[in-house]
């Protein structure tokens, strides 16, 4: 699997996903500002990968800060700058807050040492993320068909995480368990994460994948080619409402109409237990040029047309058969019980 983001020689190497699938190139990030640009411009994207990158951005941002009492406030400013890049994926804020809390909890150490510890902590968060994805993969593998088609939307794969993926982690887990899964990837207008990224990474792993345009999902389901849908999430509210890439809500409605189970796979770091429902989730709106031009080039709509370009939508919990987390697959209405790390998930598991 091609790594998304990693430390090399004291800097952060970030795969520029905006160039995939035709070019595999890395940008060397030497400061937090470059990481921030990478998050904004989608060099790195996908909620968990954004979180890990932000953690690394915090470690880079700490480097030039004065080694005196001003350190913690200045680090908090770096965090605010990173958080402001994209509003929907809660993992961004979660990772920044975790890094800040980690730094503060070590305030008995010299600041020079805290700076090193922040690098180590961000590496641990990357390693943890991969572990978490593998656990999600194991927790959801049995929900995939033994021999059948699975539709996914956007890219919730290795590229969207530290590695392995959430929705694609479940598919990988199923394939590793011997299930014959044929993936149908929605192309995912307007940024084409499905066409460019999901197809690319599944083909790299020799997992059967077929590309369809977003508007072909209903027809493909009607033909009986899809037995399950699995997608990732950018933020899940306490009641199980789940924000994910624009178009996901429509897929959930289509799945319901065709009696196909619709699953959301995400780490618990994507659950915003403080948010009661999906109505509160901030939805990022992006530049209209993403819709009116093909990757900033060929114009495909009249000059000056009004554009509405929300990057995410919210699927109400009632459409979701199970939310697959690293602690198991649970019904959306039981998700809030996992806020307590001492809850035994066993009786809640969807089998
Ligand atoms: O705009 P993007 O590419 O960051 O959107 C990504 C998604 O919507 C993913 O499905 C989500 O972040 C889950 S990634 C494991």
């Amino acid at each position: 699997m091609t790594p998304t983001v990693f430390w090399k020689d004291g800097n952060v190497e970030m795969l520029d996903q905006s160039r995939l699938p035709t070019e595999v190139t890395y940008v060397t990030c030497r400061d937090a500002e470059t990481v921030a640009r990478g998050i904004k411009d989608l060099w790195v994207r996908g909620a968990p990968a954004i979180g890990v990158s932000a953690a690394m951005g915090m470690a880079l941002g700490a480097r030039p800060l004065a080694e005196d009492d001003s350190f913690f406030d200045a680090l908090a400013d770096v965090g605010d700058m990173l958080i402001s890049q994209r509003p929907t994926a809660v993992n961004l804020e979660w990772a920044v807050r975790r890094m800040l809390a980690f730094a503060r909890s070590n305030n008995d150490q010299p600041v020079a040492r805290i700076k090193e510890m922040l690098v180590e902590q961000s590496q641990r968060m990357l390693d943890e993320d991969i572990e978490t994805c593998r656990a999600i993969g194991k927790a959801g593998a049995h929900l995939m068909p033994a021999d059948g088609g699975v539709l996914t939307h956007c890219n919730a794969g290795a590229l969207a995480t530290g590695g392995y993926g959430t929705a694609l982690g479940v598919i990988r887990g199923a394939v590793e368990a011997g299930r014959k899964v044929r993936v149908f990837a929605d192309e995912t207008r307007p940024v084409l994460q499905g066409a460019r990224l999901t197809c690319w990474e599944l083909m790299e792993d020799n997992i059967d994948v077929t590309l369809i345009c977003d508007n072909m999902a209903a027809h493909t389901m009607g033909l009986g080619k899809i037995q399950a849908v699995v997608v990732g999430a950018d933020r899940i509210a306490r009641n199980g409402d789940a924000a994910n890439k624009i178009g996901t809500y429509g897929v959930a409605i289509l799945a319901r109409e065709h009696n196909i189970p619709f699953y959301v796979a995400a780490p618990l770091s994507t659950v915003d237990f403080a948010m009661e429902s999906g109505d509160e989730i901030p939805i990022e709106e992006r530049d209209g040029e993403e819709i009116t031009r093909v990757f900033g080039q060929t114009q495909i709509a009249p000059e000056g047309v009004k554009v509405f370009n929300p990057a995410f939508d919210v699927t109400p919990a009632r459409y979701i058969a199970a939310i697959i987390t690293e602690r198991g697959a649970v019904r959306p209405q039981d998700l809030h019980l996992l806020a307590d790390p001492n809850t035994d998930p066993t009786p809640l598991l969807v089998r």
Side-chain angles (χ1 to χ4, degrees), residues 80-95:
D80 289 343
M81 183 276 292
L82 286 163
I83 289 172
S84 69
Q85 303 307 314
R86 294 194 79 188
T88 304
V90 71
N91 304 60
L92 174 53
E93 188 171 349
W94 171 85

Side-chain angles (χ1 to χ4, degrees), residues 42 45-48 50 86 153-157 160-161 166-167 193 232-234 244-245 284 311-312:
L42 309 184
R45 28 67 49 203
I50 292 171
R86 294 194 79 188
H153 189 77
C154 193
N155 173 267
T161 59
T166 54
Q193 290 92 333
D234 289 83
N244 190 49
K245 179 52 56 194
E284 176 183 8
F312 300 95

Side-chain angles (χ1 to χ4, degrees), residues 33-151:
E33 287 68 27
T34 313
V35 172
R37 185 167 164 220
I39 292 172
K40 180 107 200 149
D41 290 352
L42 309 184
W43 303 342
V44 68
R45 28 67 49 203
I50 292 171
V52 169
S53 302
M56 293 179 173
M58 288 293 282
L60 284 176
R63 207 151 57 185
L65 300 182
E67 296 181 359
D68 57 25
D69 287 351
S70 66
F71 177 75
F72 294 102
D73 285 346
L75 189 63
D77 290 344
V78 174
D80 289 343
M81 183 276 292
L82 286 163
I83 289 172
S84 69
Q85 303 307 314
R86 294 194 79 188
T88 304
V90 71
N91 304 60
L92 174 53
E93 188 171 349
W94 171 85
V96 166
R97 302 263 168 258
R98 200 170 150 187
M99 290 294 276
L100 277 175
F102 175 80
R104 289 202 179 102
S105 69
N106 286 289
N107 63 3
D108 54 332
Q109 301 285 326
V111 172
R113 175 66 194 128
I114 296 177
K115 290 181 179 181
E116 292 167 1
M117 290 168 78
L118 285 168
V119 174
E120 294 157 11
Q121 173 69 359
S122 68
Q123 178 61 45
R124 268 195 295 277
M125 286 167 70
L126 169 61
D127 297 340
E128 261 176 34
D129 188 64
I130 299 171
E131 282 301 299
T132 300
C133 286
R134 287 192 177 276
I136 291 170
K138 278 210 170 70
H142 67 286
L143 299 172
M144 298 292 101
D147 186 351
V150 176
L151 181 85

